[in-house]
Amino acid sequence: MRGSSKSSSSSPWPKEAAAQALFYLPNILTDDPTPPACRLAYDESTHTIQIISEEREIIDWFSPDDVIGAKLEFQLDLEEKLNADLAKRLERTSLEEKEESRSSPNCGCSLSEEMEGVKKDWSTLLGSVAPGTNTATVKVYCYPRYTPSETRYFSSWRTSNNPSLPPQKGEKEQDKEHWGERYARHRTLEVAPCGDFANVLSVVRAIRKLAHVDFFLVEEDEKTKSSGIMQQRRDERQKLMLKNNNDESASKDQKGPPKYLVIVNPFSGKKTALSIYESITKPMLDECGIEHDLFLTDYAGHAYERMQFIPSKEGDILEYDGIVSMGGDGNLHEILQGIKAREDAEDVLKNVPFGVIGCGSSNGFAKTLLFPSKEHCNPLESTFYIAKGQTKP
């Protein structure tokens, strides 16, 4: 469903922008009260993104293959304080003006002058943000697997990264079948104060490209050969919706990030599907920027009914870029049988990918899907592959 564009240079990494994008490590990772400065660099030989100190030492690293999302976030605490201050002064000055206008109409400064003064004061404050109190951060959402040399119990970023050097090329692939389960180990970097975030945005975009989670690329990628597959499927589904509705206004022009329909059977197995959705699946879909609608089944056959072509406020399944089943094998069976009963069943199956997150008793189908990738069968790793958009014929 996703691809990555061909760079004009041999490397997909924006070296010039990365050299100018300065970050600070969180204070929790160091005993130094002053956050150490660092930059990001990409090592093509090991396919790792490294966090480099000013002394050119590798502080930490991660593989783009373990990344499901990366984004630049702005902390609006100072702006919220500005708005609160403006609102407070607005109320106070308005009352004062009313009182003064009664006694002396031409006395005192105007309300607009007061507000301009407040904005000027805050503009000075916002333009002189000190290290460690920046209003922007880069977040990289990583889900690596435990390797045999790693312990499951560690307390900080630094202790979990011994030894600090990244693996050599091909080293991890050889031992992949001996790896443990995936776990969340995200990176948060504070952006150094700057007047322009263009370099930082270039780095974030490059991380997403290397991780193959940039939804808006349609150029062909030599590695994945996924030339705009998501958009191609959207175009085909739009044609089907026009055909089904016989009304051009009935179909929706699908743009923007992917949108999935997540069907949860809360009664499957040990009845943990809903809690798994709330604690694992929903946060991970949010991290990678995939929008979704939740559909809870209330009775046997409910998922079957949802698959039918019944124009309603819920919308037809052709409006979604994928369908995710959370439950046991029975939940998936209902979904597939419901689609099979449609007149356009063959086209739906061809243009709407399916994801399975096993929450039942045996989860045989979910295990079958994950077996070729040598992944463990659990909700987190199933969601990881769905977030990465990796599909099998």
Side-chain angles (χ1 to χ4, degrees):
M1 283 185 283
R2 306 166 195 169
S4 135
S5 65
K6 291 182 179 179
S7 176
S8 56
S9 61
S10 58
S11 173
W13 187 255
K15 294 182 180 179
E16 185 176 342
Q20 297 179 21
L22 186 65
F23 303 93
Y24 293 112
L25 290 177
N27 288 326
I28 192 173
L29 304 180
T30 176
D31 297 329
D32 190 343
T34 303
C38 61
R39 289 178 171 82
L40 296 180
Y42 173 62
D43 186 346
E44 194 168 1
S45 65
T46 58
H47 188 51
T48 57
I49 296 174
Q50 301 170 0
I51 300 174
I52 309 292
S53 69
E54 292 285 78
E55 293 75 28
R56 302 299 299 171
E57 294 180 354
I58 299 176
I59 301 173
D60 193 20
W61 59 271
F62 57 89
S63 170
D65 294 338
D66 297 327
V67 173
I68 66 170
K71 59 185 177 182
L72 173 64
E73 287 189 346
F74 294 92
Q75 305 297 328
L76 301 180
D77 295 344
L78 292 178
E79 291 191 15
E80 289 177 1
K81 291 179 182 179
L82 167 60
N83 292 332
D85 193 10
L86 286 173
K88 188 184 229 180
R89 296 203 193 188
L90 177 65
E91 181 180 0
R92 186 194 68 195
T93 309
S94 179
L95 291 174
E96 289 177 354
E97 280 192 342
K98 288 180 180 179
E99 291 296 327
E100 291 176 356
S101 63
R102 292 173 183 171
S103 58
S104 180
N106 298 322
C107 180
C109 67
S110 67
L111 180 61
S112 60
E113 291 175 346
E114 171 76 8
M115 292 301 99
E116 286 301 320
V118 176
K119 290 181 180 179
K120 185 176 181 180
D121 293 341
W122 276 93
S123 177
T124 302
L125 175 61
L126 290 170
S128 58
V129 181
T133 59
N134 204 351
T135 58
T137 57
V138 167
K139 292 189 176 181
V140 183
Y141 300 101
C142 299
Y143 289 88
R145 291 177 62 178
Y146 288 105
T147 62
S149 61
E150 285 180 317
T151 175
R152 288 184 63 91
Y153 305 99
F154 50 80
S155 58
S156 72
W157 188 348
R158 180 167 293 177
T159 57
S160 70
N161 193 40
N162 291 321
S164 61
L165 294 178
Q168 297 302 308
K169 185 177 182 181
E171 181 178 302
K172 281 196 167 185
E173 289 299 324
Q174 296 172 359
D175 301 327
K176 191 170 182 179
E177 61 184 36
H178 303 298
W179 292 358
E181 298 177 350
R182 291 191 181 275
Y183 63 100
R185 186 162 165 246
H186 308 323
R187 274 64 169 184
T188 300
L189 298 172
E190 297 179 2
V191 180
C194 58
D196 185 0
F197 289 96
N199 292 325
V200 178
L201 287 171
S202 295
V203 171
V204 171
R205 186 69 181 272
I207 294 174
R208 294 181 64 87
K209 286 182 181 179
L210 289 167
H212 302 293
V213 292
D214 199 324
F215 310 115
F216 305 103
L217 296 178
V218 296
E219 297 87 356
E220 181 178 335
D221 177 77
E222 293 180 355
K223 179 180 178 181
T224 62
K225 297 296 182 182
S226 56
S227 176
I229 294 179
M230 185 180 77
Q231 190 58 49
Q232 292 175 18
R233 287 173 174 159
R234 284 182 169 181
D235 294 340
E236 290 299 319
R237 292 199 305 272
Q238 188 166 10
K239 293 177 184 177
L240 288 172
M241 285 188 283
L242 287 170
K243 180 180 177 181
N244 292 340
N245 290 309
N246 294 318
D247 180 5
E248 187 171 351
S249 63
S251 69
K252 297 180 180 179
D253 188 12
Q254 296 174 310
K255 295 180 179 179
K259 186 173 184 179
Y260 293 168
L261 174 62
V262 180
I263 301 177
V264 177
N265 180 358
F267 308 105
S268 294
K270 297 181 180 179
K271 302 181 180 180
T272 58
L274 184 56
S275 63
I276 290 173
Y277 162 78
E278 292 174 343
S279 61
I280 296 176
T281 303
K282 184 180 184 301
M284 290 182 70
L285 292 179
D286 291 341
E287 288 166 0
C288 65
I290 294 177
E291 299 177 355
H292 69 281
D293 288 335
L294 173 65
F295 182 80
L296 291 174
T297 60
D298 295 327
Y299 48 84
H302 201 181
Y304 178 95
E305 294 175 2
R306 180 65 182 88
M307 295 301 101
Q308 302 303 299
F309 174 67
I310 306 175
S312 65
K313 63 179 181 179
E314 293 176 335
D316 187 50
I317 59 173
L318 287 172
E319 297 176 12
Y320 295 96
D321 294 294
I323 296 176
V324 179
S325 170
M326 294 190 65
D329 292 341
N331 193 49
L332 178 63
H333 178 76
E334 269 195 33
I335 293 172
L336 294 177
Q337 289 301 310
I339 293 175
K340 188 177 179 181
R342 294 171 61 114
E343 293 182 0
D344 57 356
E346 185 176 344
D347 292 321
V348 171
L349 293 172
K350 186 186 298 183
N351 294 291
V352 183
F354 286 85
V356 181
I357 300 174
C359 304
S361 301
S362 59
N363 305 315
F365 193 78
K367 292 177 182 177
T368 302
L369 289 177
L370 287 171
F371 180 77
S373 63
K374 298 180 181 179
E375 296 279 348
H376 294 262
C377 183
N378 59 52
L380 188 147
E381 304 205 23
S382 296
T383 306
F384 174 83
Y385 267 78
I386 290 170
K388 293 284 278 186
Q390 299 188 10
T391 59
K392 297 291 182 182

